[in-house]
Amino acid sequence: MHIGIVGGGFSGLLAAYLLKKRGHGVTVYEKDEQLGGHCRSLIVNKESVELGTVFSFNDGIRSLLLELDVSFREQCTCRSFIDDEFSMVEQLTREEVARLLEELARFEKILARFAPGFDGADYGFIHQDLLIPVGEFLSHYELPTIAKILAPHLSAYGFGAFQEVQAYYAFSVFKLDTILSFLRGEKLLFMNEGFADLISRLAANLADIRYGSAVRSVERAGDRIAVRSDFGEGEHDKVLISAPLPAGVIKDPVWDGRMSKIRTNPYFVCIYETENRNLVTSYFRANLEKADGVQFFHTWPGKDGCVIAAYAYGDMDPSAVRRVSDDIERSGVSIRRLVCAKRWRIFPHLDRENLTETFYSELAADGRSGPIGFIGGLVAGPSVSNLYNSVAGFVEGFRPAKKKR
Amino acid sequence: MNGAEKLNILLAGQGDGVKACCARYGISRTLYYRWLRRYESRGMAGLEEGRKRFCPANKTSPELVELILDVVRNNPAYGPRELSYRLQEMGRRVGESAVYNVLRREGLSTRAQRRSYVTRKGHKALEALPRFDGYGSGECWLFWTSYYGRFEPAGDLYAYTILDLRSRIACTRLYADLDIGRFADLLEGVAIPVARLLKLEPKCWCLLEAGGMKTVGRKRGYAELYDLAYRHSFDVKLHAPSGEASPSLQSVRQAMEAYHRRSLADLLPLLKSGAALRDIKTRLQIRLRDYNMTELQDFGGRPLAPLDYHAEATGRRKILPVWVYMERDY
């Protein structure tokens, strides 16, 4: 079988790598001149710093990292919270934690009722009750403390406002395990040379990558699928799409209809070098759900000052970046220089009008059996480890290619 | 081996037979009975005194060693003669041969060794202990392990403790083996997140009684600890005396013993009761939460809990990660 893969980010390359290992032919189409998508690292002050919006938990993906000989470390991230007056506060007080533990026990039972939807790494069947905004859902079940810890994270990672994001997305991204893992301060995975290292090692195992080839059409050609890009075309037995495409590119009405419903959120990252030596990853409570206010910053160490990446929600323009810088300085960070500001579009999702109970389950079934399929961030929650589980699970469904005599 | 460890072995021998015990610890029965005899005649004092080592009266003082190493850090290219001149400029008369001896003991006698000592994030621990009196709240952390014996089905159990000398903020976890890497786990999982939110700024980490640790992998362990410190922007020096108890160790032993009495006293009975290890770990976490947060201790006449003492001494807000109020597995 020969498979075309649209998108050379982590999911696309991983699918290509795993399929090639099973003996299939693969071609990757990447619209930029460089691979990686959100897995992009910069060298700042001798450290590898992530420009993208990537993070990874500690499960499943380790085997891949060992296989590719990627140098990684597990590290706890300390989180601090900053209030309206720009001083540090506790995430929850002792009394709130006690309430939270009670609520989590209840929450587990409530979620169990909707269990089939949360089984795998991918989005699946969505119970009707979970189509409402997460804020509404949690207040209906009287879970205010969970709301209090979930809201900043949803907002900070660019999933959107608490009164808009559907409960299903919120609980798929922040599964009970994930919430607990955040609360317990468990270790996350970091690549010593940045996530870009993982990308180049995946790419090193692939033969056919087309760079700078934005895909212009995906259409049936007999029993095969033709992919046309600016500079050429290819025919494949199956095409896997791992990145959002403009409406009309996929010539199949059903798949194009699905693609055109998928929305993304604007989000931007500012990387700074600072004078401060001992900064902790900090969340700005006052900016919760506010467009272009800094949501949080992550820190990397440096000999003469930390490097920080600050994340904000909304469209990036010079005044928005200035507001981010101002807020950071008000919290006591002394900025030496702005290294880079970059806009991203993240969290592919459907809005309230379009999301139905069976959208993802039908899409998954068609993707497995038919000649076109969506993979990666289009069908699964965003952490690199979750995408790994999702893509690896999808590829499991392929029969190994027959050996040619 | 120190007295407490010898006593542990003696007790283990009384429990499950001298022959098996000696085999497990790799000592001869002759040695076992020699210790037993000393213990019966003179108590702990009999066990404490180890091999008499010859120590010259004019041995370079730890404080001077520290100064020499500081100069090396700034001038890795200097040999003993230049270092001696430099020290003279600083008003300390140290002969060239004395400097050479210090460099040799610290494994810094070649220029290449000194260069790597300075440029690498560090993998070497200092042999000498620091002078403990110069540190403020949060600045000097003591690391040690205590052996609790063998329990079924958990196996051998060691308590790993990190204690901040001044504020007495402390954490302990139980592990089934002796490995410096366990301290990295304890740091990463507990001590560092708390320290970073409370703005503790450790300057020195002292691995006490590191003698019991396996020498294999020790260098890797030190490198791991230095790397952790770097990752969290701590500028620490690691001290790990390998020899007999030095006099300055005696000055902190009191603090260690006080901690044991206060917070680990009921650990042994609990272990002996045969409770599940997971429950014991949970009990320990709760116990330590009370120790750090609520139980009042005497700080120079003022009754305070360790965390409050630190907040007061440094004028910083008391902010803790959520998990300190929860039970966690490890």
Side-chain angles (χ1 to χ4, degrees):
Chain A
M1 224 168 147
H2 196 281
I3 296 139
I5 291 166
V6 180
F10 172 71
S11 305
L13 292 176
L14 176 66
Y17 170 76
L18 295 175
L19 285 166
K20 187 160 179 260
K21 257 181 45 175
R22 299 195 143 222
H24 300 289
V26 285
T27 300
V28 177
Y29 297 88
E30 166 57 46
K31 71 173 163 45
D32 289 334
E33 293 74 25
Q34 73 181 89
L35 298 171
H38 289 238
C39 293
R40 198 172 301 176
S41 316
L42 300 179
I43 302 287
V44 183
N45 210 358
K46 297 177 195 149
E47 278 286 327
S48 265
V49 169
E50 300 304 333
L51 179 61
T53 53
V54 282
F55 68 105
S56 176
F57 294 102
N58 206 347
D59 50 351
I61 193 171
R62 292 173 67 105
S63 60
L64 175 75
L65 299 179
L66 294 171
E67 192 177 302
L68 293 172
D69 199 21
V70 177
S71 144
F72 64 93
R73 62 179 189 276
E74 299 161 62
Q75 195 181 314
C76 294
T77 300
C78 323
R79 291 182 183 79
S80 85
F81 288 76
I82 291 173
D83 68 2
D84 312 16
E85 272 120 40
F86 294 98
S87 46
M88 238 162 99
V89 287
E90 288 201 305
Q91 184 180 6
L92 294 176
T93 62
R94 189 171 190 162
E95 295 71 40
E96 282 173 322
V97 174
R99 276 207 296 281
L100 175 68
L101 293 174
E102 179 275 321
E103 283 181 24
L104 281 173
R106 245 177 337 117
F107 182 56
E108 191 175 2
K109 282 188 196 124
I110 294 167
L111 271 195
R113 279 184 237 159
F114 310 118
F118 298 105
D119 282 348
D122 292 359
Y123 301 133
F125 174 77
I126 306 175
H127 193 282
Q128 203 176 348
D129 291 3
L130 294 168
L131 289 169
I132 61 171
V134 59
E136 218 174 281
F137 183 93
L138 290 176
S139 66
H140 172 77
Y141 285 100
E142 292 169 23
L143 300 165
T145 323
I146 293 183
K148 189 173 173 185
I149 53 159
L150 218 49
H153 287 106
L154 277 174
S155 167
Y157 303 148
F159 297 107
F162 207 50
Q163 296 307 336
E164 281 167 28
V165 188
Q166 296 92 323
Y168 181 74
Y169 284 123
F171 303 147
S172 299
V173 174
F174 295 98
K175 297 196 168 102
L176 192 67
D177 292 351
T178 313
I179 297 175
L180 283 171
S181 150
F182 269 123
L183 290 174
R184 291 188 186 125
E186 278 166 15
K187 293 175 184 173
L188 294 178
L189 274 188
F190 293 87
M191 310 298 137
N192 288 333
E193 312 295 329
F195 277 91
D197 181 34
L198 172 58
I199 294 298
S200 52
R201 280 167 198 265
L202 281 172
N205 286 287
L206 299 172
D208 188 0
I209 304 173
R210 315 277 172 91
Y211 294 90
S213 346
V215 169
R216 299 301 174 197
S217 82
V218 176
E219 91 187 281
R220 277 176 201 272
D223 56 352
R224 303 193 86 194
I225 299 283
V227 175
R228 256 180 223 100
S229 72
D230 285 343
F231 306 113
E233 58 177 86
E235 280 197 0
H236 311 283
D237 298 310
K238 184 160 182 145
V239 170
L240 300 178
I241 298 168
S242 72
L245 289 174
V249 169
I250 308 173
K251 303 300 179 198
D252 180 301
V254 176
W255 284 102
D256 190 48
R258 285 170 178 155
M259 184 58 95
S260 57
K261 283 179 186 159
I262 293 179
R263 303 275 176 275
T264 51
N265 290 346
Y267 196 64
F268 63 95
V269 183
C270 302
I271 312 250
Y272 300 91
E273 271 185 66
T274 75
E275 305 279 353
N276 309 56
R277 277 222 52 204
N278 196 356
L279 291 175
V280 186
T281 297
S282 303
Y283 290 73
F284 289 73
R285 280 214 174 129
N287 289 340
L288 206 69
E289 298 186 1
K290 269 192 214 155
D292 59 51
V294 58
Q295 296 290 326
F296 78 111
F297 64 75
H298 184 81
T299 64
W300 286 269
K303 271 257 179 279
D304 54 347
C306 298
V307 175
I308 63 174
Y311 302 86
Y313 191 48
D315 283 314
M316 187 180 82
D317 57 47
S319 68
V321 173
R322 216 169 305 126
R323 270 197 295 278
V324 168
S325 307
D326 288 349
D327 276 357
I328 289 174
E329 292 204 302
R330 248 175 260 151
S331 73
V333 177
S334 136
I335 295 174
R336 191 178 296 143
R337 62 183 82 95
L338 175 67
V339 178
C340 183
K342 161 105 180 115
R343 202 191 84 139
W344 296 103
R345 296 209 67 99
I346 61 166
F347 181 42
H349 65 282
L350 271 64
D351 52 24
R352 281 193 80 176
E353 290 72 52
N354 289 318
L355 189 61
T356 58
E357 287 178 297
T358 54
F359 179 84
Y360 285 107
S361 46
E362 282 172 11
L363 187 152
D366 290 355
R368 271 193 298 273
S369 57
I372 295 180
F374 289 176
I375 56 167
L378 297 178
V379 296
S383 75
V384 169
S385 43
N386 190 59
L387 291 174
Y388 170 80
N389 293 334
S390 159
V391 172
F394 186 84
V395 171
E396 278 293 302
F398 280 76
R399 242 176 282 143
K402 280 180 200 142
K403 282 199 183 112
K404 284 177 192 150
R405 296 211 174 161
Chain B
M1 212 176 275
N2 64 30
E5 287 169 88
K6 288 178 187 170
L7 182 61
N8 266 330
I9 295 177
L10 288 181
L11 290 176
Q14 299 302 306
D16 46 1
V18 175
K19 190 176 171 187
C21 167
C22 289
R24 195 162 72 237
Y25 290 98
I27 61 168
S28 64
R29 278 183 298 152
T30 315
L31 187 57
Y32 182 94
Y33 285 110
R34 189 183 299 151
W35 288 349
L36 187 61
R37 202 173 57 239
R38 285 181 187 167
Y39 182 69
E40 280 166 355
S41 60
R42 279 175 297 153
M44 276 310 279
L47 293 180
E48 286 295 353
E49 65 183 41
R51 209 158 19 122
K52 300 263 187 322
R53 273 210 195 154
F54 172 70
C55 180
N58 60 350
K59 188 182 168 191
T60 316
S61 70
E63 169 248 350
L64 191 51
V65 169
E66 200 43 38
L67 183 66
I68 294 172
L69 292 176
D70 275 341
V71 179
V72 169
R73 247 172 248 128
N74 293 322
N75 311 280
Y78 284 12
R81 185 178 303 165
E82 288 99 327
L83 287 171
S84 166
Y85 287 154
R86 181 81 194 90
L87 287 160
Q88 213 161 9
E89 282 170 21
M90 296 165 77
R92 302 299 297 258
R93 286 181 62 86
V94 197
E96 192 184 320
S97 61
V99 174
Y100 174 73
N101 281 329
V102 169
L103 292 184
R104 207 177 32 126
R105 277 199 292 271
E106 300 288 333
L108 297 173
S109 44
T110 71
R111 191 173 290 177
Q113 283 172 328
R114 290 192 292 276
R115 282 243 169 79
S116 78
Y117 170 65
V118 177
T119 51
R120 259 183 274 168
K121 281 167 199 161
H123 55 79
K124 201 174 164 351
L126 303 176
E127 178 67 27
L129 281 173
R131 294 224 322 266
F132 288 111
D133 46 5
Y135 293 104
S137 184
E139 292 181 344
C140 176
W141 297 10
L142 309 177
F143 294 54
W144 76 92
T145 57
S146 3
Y147 180 57
Y148 272 86
R150 198 177 174 78
F151 301 92
E152 292 311 327
D156 288 318
L157 277 181
Y158 300 86
Y160 283 66
T161 300
I162 301 177
L163 170 79
D164 176 54
L165 183 60
R166 214 48 74 206
S167 67
R168 300 176 212 163
I169 297 172
C171 55
T172 296
R173 276 186 171 186
L174 296 172
Y175 294 104
D177 54 0
L178 267 183
D179 183 343
I180 295 177
R182 297 299 196 183
F183 275 125
D185 202 46
L186 181 59
L187 279 168
E188 178 89 68
V190 186
I192 289 179
V194 170
R196 292 197 68 185
L197 289 185
L198 286 173
K199 306 270 183 203
L200 266 66
E201 282 163 10
K203 295 200 165 63
C204 99
W205 287 352
C206 304
L207 259 73
L208 308 170
E209 300 164 20
M213 298 272 178
K214 285 181 220 96
T215 31
V216 184
R218 198 184 287 185
K219 242 185 176 171
R220 179 189 49 75
Y222 294 158
E224 201 175 341
L225 296 186
Y226 271 119
D227 192 48
L228 254 180
Y230 172 76
R231 291 259 146 246
H232 293 281
S233 307
F234 291 150
D235 205 358
V236 294
K237 277 180 203 156
L238 196 58
H239 299 260
S242 58
E244 299 291 308
S246 68
S248 61
L249 183 59
Q250 295 308 322
S251 69
V252 293
R253 197 170 282 287
Q254 226 178 345
M256 294 160 67
E257 278 165 9
Y259 173 73
H260 268 272
R261 271 198 309 277
R262 245 176 200 288
S263 49
L264 303 182
D266 50 354
L267 193 54
L268 195 60
L270 201 58
L271 284 164
K272 285 195 170 142
S273 74
L277 187 58
R278 213 180 138 169
D279 297 337
I280 294 174
K281 285 178 173 177
T282 307
R283 287 273 292 271
L284 184 59
Q285 286 176 42
I286 296 169
R287 179 77 203 84
L288 293 177
R289 189 185 304 157
D290 292 343
Y291 165 87
N292 283 307
M293 297 174 67
T294 49
E295 268 176 34
L296 303 183
Q297 296 189 39
D298 178 40
F299 284 92
R302 291 177 39 66
L304 288 167
L307 282 171
D308 293 317
Y309 171 80
H310 176 77
E312 224 182 76
T314 56
R316 294 204 165 105
R317 285 169 86 164
K318 198 175 76 176
I319 291 165
L320 294 164
V322 180
W323 51 253
V324 301
Y325 308 117
M326 303 167 60
E327 275 66 76
R328 294 191 299 169
D329 285 339
Y330 59 86

